[in-house]
Amino acid sequence: MADHQEASVTLPSDPASVSSARTYVGDVLAEWGMPRDAETADTVRLIVSELATNAVMHTRGQSPVFTVDVRLERDEHLRIGVTDSHPRYPKRLPAAVQQDNGRGMVIIRCLTSECGGSLSVRPTPEGGKTVWIALPWTVPVQSV
């Protein structure tokens, strides 16, 4: 098995792209050996949905596209990054503001932590940012 596998897709910053991002990542994980009905697969799809939603909704039209990168490193670590071209980093909103929205990063942090992973935000050279999650990979990897 290769020490490193990668997959990537760039989608328009449109609400319909959230579903496309979720489906894309689910397909990649299945190709790499994670059963579609695995609890971890469900968790990853939910995290991707939240990250993609943030990339679409909170860039205020300043990022015409977003990119989803999926990496499997040494059959041990799954990394997923969502990149947009808006420079503002995601932040938690005060509880009073969180009535109808604003809980995406809280959900992402909780789910990532529950899976034994970590979350980071990195600037891109172009002035945007990538929100990365890293999770342990516990599924035997299949040759492709």
Side-chain angles (χ1 to χ4, degrees):
M1 188 73 215
D3 281 348
H4 184 85
Q5 294 187 73
E6 284 189 38
S8 180
V9 65
T10 298
L11 299 165
S13 289
D14 180 90
S17 294
V18 173
S19 175
S20 298
R22 183 177 53 246
T23 299
Y24 177 79
V25 170
D27 290 346
V28 169
L29 295 179
E31 181 179 314
W32 291 348
M34 182 178 286
R36 289 184 189 276
D37 61 350
E39 185 176 336
T40 301
D42 290 340
T43 299
V44 171
R45 286 190 297 264
L46 178 54
I47 290 170
V48 169
S49 287
E50 292 295 334
L51 290 172
T53 297
N54 285 352
V56 171
M57 302 305 289
H58 299 296
T59 59
R60 293 177 168 56
Q62 294 182 27
S63 184
V65 298
F66 67 94
T67 301
V68 179
D69 292 297
V70 187
R71 299 177 183 169
L72 182 57
E73 300 167 352
R74 294 183 308 278
D75 302 346
E76 297 173 357
H77 304 285
L78 176 66
R79 289 179 46 87
I80 298 175
V82 175
T83 303
D84 63 59
S85 59
H86 194 283
R88 186 171 50 101
Y89 278 33
K91 61 182 178 180
R92 290 185 209 175
L93 298 177
V97 177
Q98 294 182 0
Q99 296 304 314
D100 294 327
N101 60 27
R103 291 180 291 258
M105 289 307 296
V106 172
I107 292 168
I108 293 164
R109 285 181 196 282
C110 288
L111 291 172
T112 301
S113 178
E114 285 176 6
C115 291
S118 61
L119 180 140
S120 61
V121 183
R122 302 279 186 251
T124 64
E126 300 79 24
K129 79 227 168 248
T130 303
V131 180
W132 285 102
I133 62 153
L135 303 172
W137 180 265
T138 58
V139 177
V141 178
Q142 314 255 326
S143 296
V144 285

